[in-house]
Amino acid sequence: MVLLERLLNSTTRAVLTALALLSLCLPASAAQSVHVAAAANIKFALDDIAERYQQQTGRQLKISYGSSGNFVAQIKHGAPFELFLSADERYVEALADAGITRDKGLVYAYGRLALVAPKNSPLKLDQELQGLQQALAAGQIKRFAIANPDHAPYGERARALLKQKGLWQELQANLIYGENVSQAAQFALSGSTQGGIVALSLAVAPQFQARGRYLALPVDSHAPLTQRMVLLDKAGDDAKAFYDYLQGQEARQVFSAYGFALPEGS
């Protein structure tokens, strides 16, 4: 019996030692990745920023892209995000009012809309959307893409602009909605639509320029897209470090290169 106990104790110590050594060998990123929720319109810009940050610091990021409205619902239901970058500041304000953020965050960029079309589309691009009106009248617009306006800020602004131009009612039967603005941009340039209204930050990316045409729409043609970010109450030190990095000059230069206007300061 004593021999059996000694064997069990010896085996237990060996197993615990092996587990301890294994934990030391595991990459720190497995336990320390910062969970980030980000609006789909900043995907290409934030991917570039994240790559630079991870190379410089060795810290790991896990970024999920989607519509700002959907993220708010997920966060309120306990999704384990530490940092939220919204496409419209009112979504950050809603989380702050619910008491699940550290503070009210800060503005990191101002977005713009773009009119886009595949290269083989008959749609003529102009800032007043006269080409879209003419193509509609000629029956040339079968499908036109925007983000879902019920929970995607860029889709909401696209809908408001189309209403302002008197095109919404006529175009509704031809609309195809992306779950977020990134998906809407993919639809718009897929060749199965004749165009769409999406985020300028996506249209300027090389991935999309190779497939279609775009025209930046005037800033005053739609309500401001004031993009705010905030640390959530689950945020750790690594999340705070990335939040600070996003306010620095290197990150700001990337946002600017993707067509965003920037808040003053650094």
Side-chain angles (χ1 to χ4, degrees), residues 104-176:
K104 293 188 177 180
L106 55 83
V107 175
Y108 65 93
Y110 299 95
R112 292 181 63 181
L113 294 179
L115 179 64
V116 299
K119 290 184 176 179
N120 62 351
S121 172
L123 177 61
K124 296 179 180 178
L125 306 183
D126 68 279
Q127 293 187 336
E128 297 300 321
L129 304 189
Q130 293 179 354
L132 177 57
Q133 185 175 29
Q134 293 167 3
L136 269 171
Q140 295 175 320
I141 303 296
K142 305 301 180 185
R143 301 177 85 192
F144 191 83
I146 66 171
N148 191 323
D150 291 337
H151 53 72
Y154 279 80
E156 181 184 340
R157 301 302 194 278
R159 176 176 62 186
L161 175 59
L162 291 168
K163 286 183 175 182
Q164 174 191 328
K165 299 297 184 183
L167 298 172
W168 178 251
Q169 290 298 330
E170 187 177 356
L171 193 58
Q172 269 192 291
N174 308 93
L175 287 175
I176 176 171

Coordinates of all heavy atoms in Angstrom, one line a residue, residues 104-176:
K104 N -15.8 57.5 -22.2 CA -16.5 57.8 -23.4 C -15.6 57.7 -24.6 O -16.0 58.0 -25.7 CB -17.2 59.1 -23.4 CG -18.3 59.2 -22.3 CD -19.2 60.4 -22.4 CE -20.3 60.4 -21.4 NZ -21.2 61.6 -21.5
G105 N -14.4 57.3 -24.4 CA -13.5 57.1 -25.6 C -13.1 58.3 -26.3 O -13.2 59.4 -25.7
L106 N -12.6 58.2 -27.5 CA -12.2 59.4 -28.3 C -12.4 59.1 -29.8 O -12.4 58.0 -30.2 CB -10.8 59.8 -28.0 CG -9.7 58.7 -28.1 CD1 -9.2 58.6 -29.5 CD2 -8.5 59.1 -27.2
V107 N -12.5 60.2 -30.5 CA -12.6 60.1 -32.0 C -11.3 59.8 -32.6 O -10.3 60.4 -32.3 CB -13.1 61.4 -32.5 CG1 -13.2 61.4 -34.1 CG2 -14.5 61.7 -32.0
Y108 N -11.3 58.8 -33.5 CA -10.0 58.4 -34.1 C -10.0 58.7 -35.6 O -8.9 58.7 -36.2 CB -9.7 56.9 -33.9 CG -10.7 55.9 -34.5 CD1 -10.5 55.4 -35.8 CD2 -11.8 55.5 -33.8 CE1 -11.4 54.6 -36.4 CE2 -12.7 54.6 -34.4 CZ -12.5 54.2 -35.7 OH -13.4 53.3 -36.2
A109 N -11.2 59.0 -36.2 CA -11.2 59.2 -37.7 C -12.6 59.7 -38.0 O -13.6 59.5 -37.3 CB -10.9 58.0 -38.5
Y110 N -12.7 60.3 -39.2 CA -14.0 60.7 -39.8 C -14.1 60.1 -41.2 O -13.2 60.2 -42.0 CB -14.0 62.3 -40.0 CG -13.9 63.0 -38.7 CD1 -12.7 63.5 -38.3 CD2 -15.0 63.2 -37.9 CE1 -12.6 64.2 -37.1 CE2 -14.9 63.9 -36.7 CZ -13.7 64.4 -36.3 OH -13.6 65.1 -35.1
G111 N -15.2 59.3 -41.4 CA -15.3 58.6 -42.6 C -16.1 59.3 -43.7 O -16.7 60.4 -43.5
R112 N -16.0 58.7 -44.9 CA -16.7 59.3 -46.1 C -17.3 58.2 -46.9 O -16.8 57.0 -46.9 CB -15.7 60.1 -47.0 CG -15.2 61.4 -46.3 CD -14.3 62.1 -47.3 NE -15.0 62.6 -48.5 CZ -14.4 63.2 -49.5 NH1 -13.1 63.5 -49.4 NH2 -15.0 63.6 -50.5
L113 N -18.3 58.5 -47.7 CA -18.9 57.6 -48.6 C -18.2 57.7 -50.0 O -17.6 58.7 -50.4 CB -20.4 57.9 -48.8 CG -21.3 57.8 -47.6 CD1 -22.7 58.2 -48.0 CD2 -21.3 56.3 -47.1
A114 N -18.4 56.6 -50.7 CA -17.9 56.6 -52.1 C -18.9 55.9 -53.0 O -19.5 54.9 -52.6 CB -16.5 55.9 -52.2
L115 N -19.1 56.3 -54.2 CA -19.9 55.7 -55.2 C -19.0 54.8 -56.0 O -17.9 55.2 -56.5 CB -20.6 56.7 -56.1 CG -21.4 56.2 -57.3 CD1 -22.6 55.4 -56.7 CD2 -21.9 57.3 -58.2
V116 N -19.3 53.5 -56.1 CA -18.4 52.5 -56.8 C -19.2 51.7 -57.8 O -20.4 51.6 -57.8 CB -17.8 51.6 -55.8 CG1 -17.0 52.3 -54.7 CG2 -18.9 50.7 -55.1
A117 N -18.4 51.2 -58.8 CA -19.0 50.4 -59.8 C -17.9 49.4 -60.4 O -16.8 49.8 -60.4 CB -19.5 51.2 -60.9
P118 N -18.3 48.2 -60.8 CA -17.4 47.3 -61.5 C -16.9 48.0 -62.8 O -17.6 48.9 -63.3 CB -18.2 46.1 -61.7 CG -19.4 46.2 -60.8 CD -19.7 47.6 -60.6
K119 N -15.8 47.5 -63.3 CA -15.2 48.1 -64.5 C -16.1 48.0 -65.7 O -16.1 48.8 -66.6 CB -13.9 47.6 -64.7 CG -12.8 48.0 -63.7 CD -11.4 47.5 -64.0 CE -10.4 48.1 -63.0 NZ -9.0 47.6 -63.3
N120 N -16.9 46.9 -65.7 CA -17.8 46.7 -66.9 C -19.2 47.3 -66.7 O -20.1 47.0 -67.5 CB -17.9 45.2 -67.2 CG -18.5 44.4 -66.1 OD1 -18.7 44.9 -65.0 ND2 -18.8 43.1 -66.3
S121 N -19.4 48.0 -65.6 CA -20.8 48.6 -65.4 C -21.1 49.8 -66.3 O -20.2 50.6 -66.5 CB -20.9 49.0 -63.9 OG -22.1 49.7 -63.7
P122 N -22.3 49.9 -66.7 CA -22.7 51.1 -67.5 C -22.9 52.4 -66.6 O -23.1 53.5 -67.1 CB -24.0 50.7 -68.1 CG -24.6 49.7 -67.1 CD -23.4 49.0 -66.5
L123 N -22.8 52.2 -65.3 CA -23.0 53.3 -64.4 C -21.9 54.4 -64.5 O -20.7 54.1 -64.4 CB -23.1 52.8 -62.9 CG -23.3 53.9 -61.8 CD1 -24.6 54.6 -62.0 CD2 -23.2 53.2 -60.4
K124 N -22.3 55.6 -64.7 CA -21.4 56.8 -64.8 C -21.3 57.4 -63.4 O -22.4 57.6 -62.7 CB -21.9 57.8 -65.8 CG -21.9 57.3 -67.2 CD -22.4 58.4 -68.2 CE -22.4 57.9 -69.6 NZ -22.9 58.9 -70.6
L125 N -20.1 57.6 -62.9 CA -19.9 58.1 -61.5 C -19.9 59.6 -61.5 O -19.1 60.2 -62.2 CB -18.6 57.5 -60.9 CG -18.5 56.0 -61.0 CD1 -17.2 55.6 -60.3 CD2 -19.7 55.3 -60.3
D126 N -20.7 60.2 -60.7 CA -20.7 61.7 -60.5 C -21.2 62.0 -59.1 O -21.9 61.2 -58.5 CB -21.5 62.4 -61.5 CG -23.0 62.1 -61.4 OD1 -23.5 61.1 -61.8 OD2 -23.7 63.0 -60.7
Q127 N -20.8 63.1 -58.6 CA -21.1 63.4 -57.2 C -22.5 63.7 -56.9 O -23.0 63.7 -55.7 CB -20.2 64.6 -56.7 CG -18.7 64.2 -56.7 CD -17.8 65.3 -56.0 OE1 -18.2 66.5 -56.1 NE2 -16.7 64.9 -55.5
E128 N -23.3 64.1 -57.9 CA -24.7 64.4 -57.7 C -25.6 63.2 -58.0 O -26.8 63.3 -57.9 CB -25.1 65.6 -58.6 CG -24.4 66.9 -58.3 CD -24.6 67.4 -56.9 OE1 -25.8 67.2 -56.5 OE2 -23.7 67.9 -56.3
L129 N -25.0 62.1 -58.3 CA -25.7 60.8 -58.6 C -26.7 60.9 -59.8 O -27.6 60.2 -59.9 CB -26.5 60.4 -57.4 CG -25.7 60.2 -56.1 CD1 -26.6 59.5 -55.0 CD2 -24.5 59.4 -56.3
Q130 N -26.3 61.8 -60.7 CA -27.1 62.0 -61.9 C -27.0 60.7 -62.8 O -27.9 60.3 -63.5 CB -26.8 63.2 -62.7 CG -27.2 64.5 -61.9 CD -26.8 65.8 -62.7 OE1 -26.1 65.7 -63.7 NE2 -27.1 66.9 -62.1
G131 N -25.7 60.2 -62.9 CA -25.5 59.0 -63.6 C -26.3 57.8 -63.1 O -26.8 57.0 -63.9
L132 N -26.5 57.7 -61.8 CA -27.3 56.6 -61.3 C -28.7 56.8 -61.6 O -29.4 55.9 -62.0 CB -27.1 56.6 -59.7 CG -28.0 55.6 -59.0 CD1 -27.7 54.2 -59.4 CD2 -27.7 55.7 -57.5
Q133 N -29.2 58.1 -61.6 CA -30.6 58.4 -62.0 C -30.8 58.0 -63.4 O -31.9 57.4 -63.8 CB -30.9 59.8 -61.7 CG -32.3 60.2 -62.0 CD -32.6 61.7 -61.6 OE1 -31.7 62.5 -61.6 NE2 -33.8 62.0 -61.2
Q134 N -29.9 58.3 -64.3 CA -30.0 58.0 -65.7 C -30.0 56.5 -66.0 O -30.8 56.0 -66.8 CB -28.9 58.7 -66.5 CG -29.0 60.3 -66.5 CD -27.8 60.9 -67.0 OE1 -26.8 60.3 -67.4 NE2 -27.7 62.3 -67.0
A135 N -29.1 55.8 -65.3 CA -29.0 54.4 -65.5 C -30.3 53.7 -65.0 O -30.8 52.7 -65.6 CB -27.8 53.8 -64.8
L136 N -30.9 54.2 -63.9 CA -32.1 53.7 -63.4 C -33.2 53.9 -64.5 O -34.0 52.9 -64.8 CB -32.5 54.3 -62.1 CG -32.1 53.7 -60.8 CD1 -32.3 54.6 -59.7 CD2 -32.7 52.4 -60.6
A137 N -33.3 55.1 -65.0 CA -34.3 55.4 -66.0 C -34.2 54.5 -67.2 O -35.2 54.2 -67.9 CB -34.3 56.9 -66.4
A138 N -33.0 54.1 -67.6 CA -32.7 53.3 -68.8 C -32.8 51.8 -68.5 O -32.6 51.0 -69.4 CB -31.3 53.6 -69.3
G139 N -33.1 51.5 -67.2 CA -33.3 50.1 -66.9 C -32.0 49.3 -66.8 O -31.9 48.1 -66.9
Q140 N -30.9 50.1 -66.6 CA -29.5 49.5 -66.6 C -29.1 49.0 -65.2 O -28.1 48.3 -65.0 CB -28.5 50.4 -67.1 CG -28.7 50.8 -68.6 CD -27.8 51.9 -69.1 OE1 -27.5 52.8 -68.4 NE2 -27.3 51.7 -70.3
I141 N -29.8 49.4 -64.2 CA -29.5 49.0 -62.8 C -30.4 47.9 -62.3 O -31.6 48.1 -62.1 CB -29.6 50.2 -61.8 CG1 -28.8 51.4 -62.3 CG2 -29.3 49.8 -60.4 CD1 -27.3 51.1 -62.3
K142 N -29.8 46.7 -62.3 CA -30.6 45.5 -61.8 C -30.3 45.3 -60.3 O -31.2 44.9 -59.6 CB -30.1 44.3 -62.6 CG -30.3 44.5 -64.1 CD -31.7 44.8 -64.5 CE -31.8 44.9 -66.1 NZ -33.2 45.4 -66.5
R143 N -29.1 45.5 -59.9 CA -28.7 45.3 -58.5 C -27.8 46.4 -58.1 O -26.8 46.8 -58.8 CB -28.1 44.0 -58.3 CG -29.0 42.8 -58.7 CD -28.2 41.5 -58.5 NE -28.4 41.0 -57.2 CZ -27.7 40.0 -56.7 NH1 -26.7 39.4 -57.4 NH2 -27.9 39.5 -55.4
F144 N -28.0 46.9 -56.9 CA -27.2 48.0 -56.3 C -27.0 47.8 -54.9 O -27.9 47.5 -54.1 CB -27.9 49.4 -56.5 CG -27.1 50.6 -56.3 CD1 -26.2 51.1 -57.3 CD2 -27.1 51.3 -55.1 CE1 -25.5 52.2 -57.1 CE2 -26.4 52.4 -54.8 CZ -25.5 52.9 -55.8
A145 N -25.7 47.9 -54.4 CA -25.4 47.4 -53.1 C -25.1 48.6 -52.1 O -24.4 49.5 -52.4 CB -24.1 46.5 -53.1
I146 N -25.7 48.4 -50.9 CA -25.3 49.2 -49.7 C -25.3 48.3 -48.5 O -25.8 47.2 -48.5 CB -26.3 50.4 -49.5 CG1 -27.7 49.9 -49.1 CG2 -26.4 51.3 -50.8 CD1 -28.6 51.0 -48.7
A147 N -24.7 48.8 -47.4 CA -24.7 48.1 -46.2 C -26.1 48.2 -45.6 O -26.9 49.1 -45.9 CB -23.7 48.6 -45.2
N148 N -26.5 47.2 -44.8 CA -27.8 47.2 -44.1 C -28.0 48.5 -43.3 O -27.3 48.6 -42.3 CB -28.0 46.0 -43.3 CG -29.4 45.8 -42.8 OD1 -30.1 46.7 -42.5 ND2 -29.8 44.5 -42.7
P149 N -28.9 49.3 -43.6 CA -29.0 50.6 -42.9 C -29.6 50.5 -41.5 O -29.5 51.4 -40.7 CB -30.0 51.4 -43.8 CG -30.7 50.4 -44.5 CD -29.8 49.3 -44.7
D150 N -30.1 49.3 -41.1 CA -30.7 49.1 -39.8 C -29.6 49.0 -38.7 O -29.9 49.3 -37.5 CB -31.6 47.9 -39.8 CG -32.8 48.0 -40.6 OD1 -33.2 49.2 -40.8 OD2 -33.4 47.0 -41.0
H151 N -28.4 48.6 -39.1 CA -27.4 48.5 -38.0 C -26.0 48.8 -38.5 O -25.0 48.7 -37.7 CB -27.4 47.1 -37.4 CG -27.3 46.0 -38.5 ND1 -26.1 45.7 -39.2 CD2 -28.2 45.1 -38.9 CE1 -26.3 44.7 -40.0 NE2 -27.5 44.3 -39.9
A152 N -25.8 49.3 -39.8 CA -24.5 49.7 -40.3 C -24.5 51.2 -40.6 O -25.3 51.6 -41.4 CB -24.2 48.9 -41.5
P153 N -23.7 52.0 -39.9 CA -23.7 53.4 -40.2 C -23.5 53.9 -41.6 O -24.2 54.8 -42.1 CB -22.6 53.9 -39.3 CG -22.5 52.9 -38.2 CD -22.8 51.6 -38.9
Y154 N -22.7 53.2 -42.4 CA -22.5 53.6 -43.7 C -23.7 53.2 -44.6 O -24.0 53.9 -45.6 CB -21.2 52.9 -44.3 CG -19.9 53.6 -43.9 CD1 -19.4 53.4 -42.6 CD2 -19.3 54.5 -44.8 CE1 -18.2 54.1 -42.3 CE2 -18.2 55.2 -44.4 CZ -17.6 55.0 -43.1 OH -16.5 55.6 -42.7
G155 N -24.4 52.2 -44.2 CA -25.7 51.9 -44.9 C -26.7 52.9 -44.6 O -27.5 53.4 -45.5
E156 N -26.8 53.4 -43.4 CA -27.7 54.4 -42.9 C -27.5 55.7 -43.7 O -28.4 56.3 -44.2 CB -27.6 54.6 -41.4 CG -28.5 55.7 -40.9 CD -28.3 55.9 -39.4 OE1 -27.7 55.1 -38.7 OE2 -28.7 57.0 -39.0
R157 N -26.2 56.1 -43.8 CA -25.9 57.3 -44.6 C -26.2 57.2 -46.0 O -26.6 58.1 -46.7 CB -24.4 57.7 -44.4 CG -24.0 57.9 -42.9 CD -24.7 59.0 -42.2 NE -24.1 59.4 -41.0 CZ -24.2 58.7 -39.8 NH1 -24.9 57.6 -39.7 NH2 -23.5 59.1 -38.7
A158 N -25.9 56.0 -46.6 CA -26.2 55.8 -48.0 C -27.7 55.9 -48.3 O -28.2 56.5 -49.3 CB -25.7 54.4 -48.4
R159 N -28.5 55.3 -47.4 CA -30.0 55.4 -47.5 C -30.4 56.9 -47.5 O -31.3 57.4 -48.3 CB -30.7 54.6 -46.4 CG -32.2 54.8 -46.4 CD -32.8 53.9 -45.4 NE -32.4 54.2 -44.0 CZ -32.8 53.5 -43.0 NH1 -33.5 52.4 -43.1 NH2 -32.4 53.9 -41.8
A160 N -29.9 57.7 -46.5 CA -30.2 59.1 -46.4 C -29.9 59.8 -47.6 O -30.6 60.7 -48.1 CB -29.6 59.7 -45.1
L161 N -28.7 59.5 -48.2 CA -28.3 60.2 -49.4 C -29.2 59.9 -50.6 O -29.6 60.8 -51.3 CB -26.8 59.9 -49.7 CG -26.3 60.4 -51.0 CD1 -26.3 62.0 -51.0 CD2 -24.8 59.9 -51.3
L162 N -29.5 58.7 -50.7 CA -30.4 58.3 -51.8 C -31.8 58.9 -51.7 O -32.4 59.3 -52.6 CB -30.5 56.7 -51.9 CG -29.3 56.0 -52.3 CD1 -29.4 54.5 -52.1 CD2 -29.0 56.3 -53.8
K163 N -32.3 59.0 -50.4 CA -33.5 59.7 -50.2 C -33.4 61.2 -50.6 O -34.3 61.8 -51.2 CB -34.0 59.6 -48.7 CG -34.5 58.2 -48.4 CD -35.0 58.1 -47.0 CE -35.6 56.8 -46.6 NZ -36.1 56.7 -45.2
Q164 N -32.3 61.8 -50.2 CA -32.1 63.2 -50.4 C -32.1 63.5 -51.9 O -32.6 64.5 -52.4 CB -30.7 63.6 -49.9 CG -30.3 65.0 -50.2 CD -28.8 65.3 -49.8 OE1 -28.4 64.7 -48.8 NE2 -28.1 66.1 -50.5
K165 N -31.6 62.6 -52.7 CA -31.5 62.7 -54.2 C -32.8 62.2 -54.9 O -32.8 62.2 -56.1 CB -30.3 61.9 -54.7 CG -28.9 62.4 -54.2 CD -28.7 63.9 -54.6 CE -27.3 64.3 -54.1 NZ -27.0 65.7 -54.5
G166 N -33.8 61.8 -54.1 CA -35.0 61.3 -54.7 C -34.9 60.0 -55.4 O -35.7 59.7 -56.3
L167 N -34.0 59.2 -55.0 CA -33.7 57.9 -55.7 C -34.1 56.7 -54.9 O -34.2 55.6 -55.4 CB -32.2 57.8 -56.1 CG -31.7 58.8 -57.1 CD1 -30.2 58.7 -57.2 CD2 -32.3 58.6 -58.4
W168 N -34.4 56.9 -53.6 CA -34.6 55.7 -52.7 C -35.8 54.9 -53.2 O -35.7 53.6 -53.3 CB -34.8 56.2 -51.3 CG -35.1 55.1 -50.3 CD1 -36.3 54.9 -49.7 CD2 -34.1 54.2 -49.9 NE1 -36.1 53.8 -48.9 CE2 -34.8 53.3 -48.9 CE3 -32.8 53.9 -50.1 CZ2 -34.2 52.3 -48.3 CZ3 -32.2 52.9 -49.5 CH2 -32.9 52.1 -48.6
Q169 N -36.9 55.4 -53.4 CA -38.1 54.6 -53.7 C -37.9 53.8 -55.0 O -38.2 52.7 -55.1 CB -39.4 55.6 -53.8 CG -39.8 56.2 -52.5 CD -40.3 55.1 -51.5 OE1 -40.8 54.0 -51.9 NE2 -40.1 55.4 -50.3
E170 N -37.4 54.5 -56.0 CA -37.2 53.8 -57.3 C -36.1 52.7 -57.2 O -36.2 51.7 -57.9 CB -36.8 54.9 -58.4 CG -36.7 54.3 -59.8 CD -36.4 55.4 -60.8 OE1 -36.2 56.6 -60.4 OE2 -36.2 55.0 -62.0
L171 N -35.2 52.9 -56.3 CA -34.0 52.0 -56.3 C -34.3 50.8 -55.3 O -33.6 49.8 -55.4 CB -32.8 52.7 -55.8 CG -31.4 52.1 -56.0 CD1 -31.2 51.7 -57.4 CD2 -30.3 53.0 -55.4
Q172 N -35.3 50.9 -54.4 CA -35.4 49.9 -53.4 C -35.6 48.5 -53.9 O -35.0 47.6 -53.3 CB -36.7 50.2 -52.6 CG -36.3 51.1 -51.3 CD -37.5 51.2 -50.4 OE1 -38.5 51.8 -50.7 NE2 -37.3 50.6 -49.2
A173 N -36.3 48.3 -55.0 CA -36.5 46.9 -55.5 C -35.2 46.3 -56.1 O -35.1 45.1 -56.2 CB -37.5 46.9 -56.6
N174 N -34.2 47.2 -56.3 CA -32.9 46.7 -56.9 C -31.8 46.6 -55.8 O -30.7 46.2 -56.2 CB -32.5 47.7 -58.0 CG -33.5 47.9 -59.0 OD1 -34.3 48.9 -58.9 ND2 -33.6 47.1 -60.0
L175 N -32.1 46.9 -54.6 CA -31.1 47.0 -53.6 C -30.7 45.6 -53.1 O -31.5 44.7 -52.9 CB -31.5 47.8 -52.4 CG -31.6 49.4 -52.6 CD1 -32.1 50.0 -51.4 CD2 -30.2 49.9 -52.9
I176 N -29.4 45.4 -52.9 CA -28.9 44.2 -52.2 C -28.1 44.7 -51.0 O -27.2 45.6 -51.1 CB -28.0 43.4 -53.1 CG1 -27.4 42.2 -52.4 CG2 -26.9 44.2 -53.8 CD1 -26.7 41.2 -53.3

